[in-house]
Amino acid sequence: MICGSGHFEYDHNLEEYIDFKRYGQVKMNNEIGTFADKGYIIYNGYNQKLSNKLSENLGMEMPEIKEQKIIKLYMPLTVTIYDIENDYGYRETLNETLELGNYAIVDYIHEVLV
């Protein structure tokens, strides 16, 4: 399959020294895949509906999908504003931008999270 695909360049004189079978076994052990009538199918995803279809139709053993995890990244945040609310409650465009300090940013938490 590797030789016939045309996707890999190698010296044909080295063919007898390349362990294609071992390479294939290592690849298959490290991924979710199976052979079908059209070739080898690899599953790299988290779509439960597709996972069920592949399992039902091809007998692929899918690992159980674990609970979704949330990654929290903490980094400095700077906020530059271009307008402010004036003393009368109206939005007013500034002539120059204004950078807010850390404590002033808390007032904009809803806008940041959206």
Side-chain angles (χ1 to χ4, degrees), residues 53-103:
K53 284 286 185 192
L54 290 172
S55 180
E56 291 168 13
N57 296 328
L58 299 175
M60 293 176 74
E61 292 185 28
M62 303 294 181
E64 291 211 16
I65 296 174
K66 296 181 180 176
E67 179 181 325
Q68 184 179 9
K69 295 184 180 185
I70 296 174
I71 298 175
K72 294 184 179 184
L73 304 173
Y74 298 95
M75 62 196 84
L77 176 66
T78 58
V79 173
T80 304
I81 59 173
Y82 301 91
D83 61 345
I84 60 169
E85 188 174 306
N86 65 19
D87 295 336
Y88 304 105
Y90 298 106
R91 301 301 292 174
E92 189 175 285
T93 303
L94 300 171
N95 293 332
E96 294 183 22
T97 60
L98 176 66
E99 275 199 28
L100 298 180
N102 293 337
Y103 295 105

Side-chain angles (χ1 to χ4, degrees), residues 10-67:
Y10 63 93
D11 187 338
H12 292 283
N13 294 323
L14 298 174
E15 202 167 293
E16 65 184 89
Y17 300 101
I18 300 173
D19 190 351
F20 291 112
K21 183 177 180 179
R22 183 173 168 272
Y23 172 77
Q25 288 172 339
V26 168
K27 287 290 287 178
M28 288 171 58
N29 290 338
N30 292 323
E31 62 194 17
I32 302 168
T34 190
F35 284 98
D37 58 346
K38 300 285 184 183
Y40 188 67
I41 297 173
I42 301 170
Y43 177 72
N44 292 322
Y46 301 98
N47 183 317
Q48 189 62 47
K49 193 173 182 179
L50 176 60
S51 175
N52 292 342
K53 284 286 185 192
L54 290 172
S55 180
E56 291 168 13
N57 296 328
L58 299 175
M60 293 176 74
E61 292 185 28
M62 303 294 181
E64 291 211 16
I65 296 174
K66 296 181 180 176
E67 179 181 325

